[in-house]
Amino acid sequence: MTSPKIAVIYYSMWGHVRKMAEAAAEGAKAKGANVTLLQFAETLPEAVIAKMHGAPKDDSIPVVKPDDLKEYDGYIFAFPTRYGRAVAQVSAFFDQTGGLWAAQALNGKMATIITSTGTQHGGQGKPIAPNAY
C-alpha cells in the first residue's frame, strides 16, 4: 500500500495558524503520509498587511492553485475565521474551484479543517460546512 499524499494548506496573518498547520503536517508525516505544505494566496496589499503588523509570508512555501488539489488524496485546511466565516483569502480560493466540483474531480478525497479565532465564540464552526465538498 502506498502512503497517502496529503496537502496541508494554510492562511496565517500573524503566524499562529501556520504553526498549527506545521504541527498537523508533522503529525501526518509521523503516521506515514507524504505531506506537502502549501499556502493560500494573499489578497491584501502589502501596505495593509504592514499596518496590521502581519507576519512576512514565506516565499519558500508554494501558493496553492485549484488544480493542485487533484494531485492529493486528502487535505488539511488551516485558516482563521473573521466575523463567523472563513477569511477572504480562503473564500477567494474556493470560489475558483467550481470547475473541479462540476467535474467531480475531488470526489472521494478526504479533508479536515483547523480553524482559529482571536475571540471566544468567534464563529469557528460556521465556515466549515460551507467550504465542505
Side-chain angles (χ1 to χ4, degrees):
M1 181 173 165
T2 62
S3 298
K5 288 179 63 178
I6 304 296
V8 178
I9 308 168
Y10 75 91
Y11 176 79
S12 188
M13 173 64 73
W14 294 284
H16 304 92
V17 175
R18 177 181 173 173
K19 288 182 192 267
M20 292 191 302
E22 290 171 340
E26 289 304 314
K29 285 179 187 175
K31 293 294 182 180
N34 292 319
V35 178
T36 302
L37 189 64
L38 302 166
Q39 62 183 324
F40 290 104
E42 182 58 73
T43 61
L44 293 173
E46 287 186 31
V48 172
I49 295 170
K51 288 180 182 179
M52 294 175 70
H53 307 287
K57 301 297 178 210
D58 185 342
D59 292 334
S60 71
I61 298 173
V63 172
V64 67
K65 305 285 187 261
D67 279 342
D68 294 342
L69 296 179
K70 295 186 283 188
E71 298 176 27
Y72 298 95
D73 301 311
Y75 320 96
I76 301 173
F77 297 107
F79 54 84
T81 60
R82 307 268 195 277
Y83 308 105
R85 61 175 298 247
V87 292
Q89 293 81 356
V90 174
S91 294
F93 174 80
F94 281 110
D95 285 348
Q96 299 173 58
T97 63
L100 296 173
W101 175 80
Q104 298 277 314
L106 307 178
N107 190 25
K109 298 185 183 226
M110 302 300 293
T112 192
I113 298 173
I114 301 167
T115 184
S116 176
T117 185
T119 60
Q120 290 183 350
H121 311 297
Q124 296 94 324
K126 290 183 180 180
I128 294 171
N131 286 318
Y133 273 80

